[in-house]
């Protein structure tokens, strides 16, 4: 698989975090998320320290804070759901700014917001410092099923191709005077979706045959051997280790 172009979530750089092997960063983020989830919701100060740790990682990786905040838009559905919980929750209620809110609902909302936000920020930093293709190779180094990794690689590689095909089909429709204004245009959109599916399926068949003709036997060759030293593992696991120390004080 070729390196391809940089994904929009990835920020090219040469920071110490960028240079860490992907399998180290993957395991570090997973361990950090587990520690955050295991933290009691009443330990407000612990969540504050977790945020400080992530801020330190962002500073070392030279990831702008504004970019992290913009990419946190993916969390909006969780935020809306969390704000709804105190309103519809049961149990003891308290008045906040004239609204009657459920006390257990407020705790649940805080629990979701705090832990989801920290997890999202950690994932954003991981994506910003690791190319997606390299991230998948790191997952393969962690002994994830090779077939799943290959499927994800092909999805990553051909997603832009399919999106480009969909964009060309839209331009072709609009150049012929088509405009999707109401439900009467749904049959045209449905036929376009069917045509896109058939084209994508046929493209997959051609790619598979081309791979077989080049000696593909079920596994992709690994060009870059991404081994990790003890120092690199220690550097990556410093984040979850520090978070674990915070959790130990919170329990």
């Amino acid at each position: 698989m070729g390196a391809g172009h940089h994904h929009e979530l990835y920020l090219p750089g040469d920071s110490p975090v960028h240079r860490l092997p992907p399998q180290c960063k993957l395991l570090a983020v997973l361990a950090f998320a587990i520690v955050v989830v295991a933290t009691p919701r009443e330990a407000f100060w612990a969540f504050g320290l977790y945020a400080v740790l992530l801020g330190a990682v962002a500073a070392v990786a030279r990831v702008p804070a504004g970019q992290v905040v913009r990419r946190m838009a993916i969390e909006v559905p969780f935020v809306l759901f969390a704000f709804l919980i105190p309103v519809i929750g049961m149990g003891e209620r308290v008045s906040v700014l004239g609204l009657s809110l459920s006390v257990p609902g407020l705790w649940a909302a805080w629990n979701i917001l705090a832990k989801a936000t920290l997890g999202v920020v950690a994932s954003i930093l991981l994506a910003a410092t690791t190319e997606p293709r390299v991230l998948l190779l790191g997952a393969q180094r962690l002994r994830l099923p090779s077939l799943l990794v290959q499927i994800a690689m092909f999805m990553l590689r051909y997603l832009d191709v399919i999106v480009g095909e969909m964009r060309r089909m839209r331009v072709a429709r609009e150049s012929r005077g088509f405009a999707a204004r109401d439900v009467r245009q749904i049959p045209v959109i449905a036929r376009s979706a069917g045509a896109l599916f058939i084209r994508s399926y046929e493209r997959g068949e051609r790619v598979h045959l081309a791979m077989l003709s080049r000696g593909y036997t079920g596994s992709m060759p690994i060009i870059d051997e991404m081994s990790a030293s003890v120092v690199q593992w220690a550097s990556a696991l410093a984040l979850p280790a520090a978070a674990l120390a915070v959790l130990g004080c919170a329990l």
Side-chain angles (χ1 to χ4, degrees):
M1 297 290 291
H5 60 275
H6 292 313
H7 194 273
E8 60 182 8
L9 294 179
Y10 174 68
L11 295 178
D14 191 37
S15 70
V17 181
H18 283 80
R19 292 194 296 268
L20 286 174
Q23 61 267 31
C24 299
K25 289 185 277 188
L26 269 173
L27 195 60
V29 170
L30 176 61
F32 176 79
I34 292 174
V35 172
V36 169
V37 170
T39 303
R41 62 187 184 183
E42 296 82 6
F44 298 102
W45 61 271
F47 294 106
L49 289 180
Y50 294 152
V52 171
L53 290 175
L54 291 178
V57 173
V60 173
R62 294 190 282 275
V63 178
Q67 196 144 13
V68 174
V69 172
R70 285 194 299 272
R71 292 176 179 178
M72 287 178 64
I74 194 175
E75 193 188 7
V76 169
F78 295 97
V79 174
L80 296 177
F81 176 71
F83 277 112
L84 186 62
I85 293 177
V87 177
I88 63 176
M90 306 298 289
E92 180 186 353
R93 306 191 73 83
V94 64
S95 179
V96 178
L97 299 177
L99 294 175
S100 177
L101 302 179
S102 166
V103 173
L106 287 171
W107 277 112
W110 156 252
N111 195 43
I112 292 174
L113 279 177
K115 296 179 179 180
T117 300
L118 291 170
V120 167
V121 173
S123 301
I124 290 172
L125 294 177
L126 176 64
T129 57
T130 316
E131 291 185 75
R133 182 189 67 89
V134 177
L135 199 61
L136 291 172
L137 292 177
Q140 193 169 20
R141 291 283 301 181
L142 292 174
R143 298 294 186 269
L144 264 70
S146 178
L147 181 60
L148 292 180
V149 175
Q150 289 182 53
I151 291 174
M153 281 185 175
F154 282 111
M155 288 176 59
L156 177 66
R157 170 64 182 84
Y158 287 100
L159 181 61
D160 289 340
V161 176
I162 295 175
V163 170
E165 186 80 19
M166 185 170 59
R167 188 179 299 113
R168 288 190 293 272
M169 293 173 67
R170 177 179 57 81
V171 171
R173 290 195 305 269
E174 293 177 352
S175 67
R176 290 165 174 80
F178 174 81
R181 296 189 180 93
D182 51 50
V183 295
R184 290 176 297 177
Q185 280 75 42
I186 290 179
V188 178
I189 301 296
R191 286 194 291 270
S192 298
L196 179 64
F197 173 79
I198 293 173
R199 291 184 184 183
S200 302
Y201 181 82
E202 291 176 344
R203 186 189 298 273
E205 288 291 313
R206 293 195 299 271
V207 170
H208 183 242
L209 291 174
M211 291 169 59
L212 292 177
S213 67
R214 288 162 175 80
Y216 176 72
T217 58
S219 62
M220 298 295 292
I222 298 178
I223 300 175
D224 302 321
E225 185 64 28
M226 296 178 298
S227 58
S229 66
V230 175
V231 174
Q232 289 173 322
W233 275 111
S235 299
L237 295 178
L239 173 65
L244 188 60
V246 173
L247 175 60
C249 297
L251 294 177

